[in-house]
Amino acid sequence: MRIGELARRTGVSQRSLRYYEEQNLLTPTRLPNGYRDYDERTVTTVRRIQILLSAGLGTSAVAEILPGAVDDTVVLTGRCPELIDGLAKERHRIDTAIAALIAARDILDSLVGRPLDPATAVPMR
């Protein structure tokens, strides 16, 4: 399938798909006219990439993880044990960021003496 069809089927822009190729996450074949040609498995690969990126991972980590993913999921197999430590560090980074955001929210609440309701808050100008 060509890049436009892959974009339509995955909901990912053609620009993002070209970026994934630049990052060696996708490897399409090239037709004689220079057009990219993707096989059916690429749809699943693009979905995996999207899941991993949405987890806060960078493309270099995604490139390491993709070969360890099996079937239609992103669950790692036993072939990728070296990635577990890196993923644990990434999870810790996310936990730390969440804790910092909660602390910031708590400070804002303490400034007014009660929890602020975001639904009724007046936007600041």
Side-chain angles (χ1 to χ4, degrees):
M1 82 189 79
R2 299 220 326 241
I3 194 168
E5 174 70 8
L6 181 60
R8 185 189 64 73
R9 290 185 56 191
T10 60
V12 175
S13 71
Q14 291 183 33
R15 181 177 180 184
S16 291
L17 295 171
R18 286 189 290 273
Y19 175 73
Y20 297 164
E21 183 181 348
E22 288 172 12
Q23 299 301 305
N24 297 313
L25 302 176
L26 298 178
T27 310
T29 57
R30 291 287 184 156
L31 299 174
N33 60 6
Y35 289 171
R36 292 167 176 85
D37 186 41
Y38 298 93
D39 63 27
E40 190 63 32
R41 293 177 311 218
T42 307
V43 172
T44 300
T45 301
V46 170
R47 290 185 179 135
R48 287 179 182 151
I49 292 167
Q50 291 289 284
I51 290 168
L52 294 166
L53 291 174
S54 70
L57 300 173
T59 55
S60 60
V62 172
E64 290 183 51
I65 293 170
L66 281 176
V70 294
D71 59 50
D72 287 342
T73 70
V74 188
V75 175
L76 299 178
T77 66
R79 299 185 315 234
C80 300
E82 65 280 359
L83 295 175
I84 301 302
D85 287 340
L87 293 174
K89 288 177 185 171
E90 184 62 22
R91 188 179 194 289
H92 177 61
R93 183 193 66 75
I94 291 168
D95 286 342
T96 301
I98 290 169
L101 288 169
I102 289 170
R105 183 193 61 200
D106 291 346
I107 291 168
L108 289 173
D109 288 346
S110 71
L111 290 173
V112 296
R114 62 180 170 77
L116 295 170
D117 181 359
T120 60
V122 177
M124 293 177 52
R125 293 186 187 192

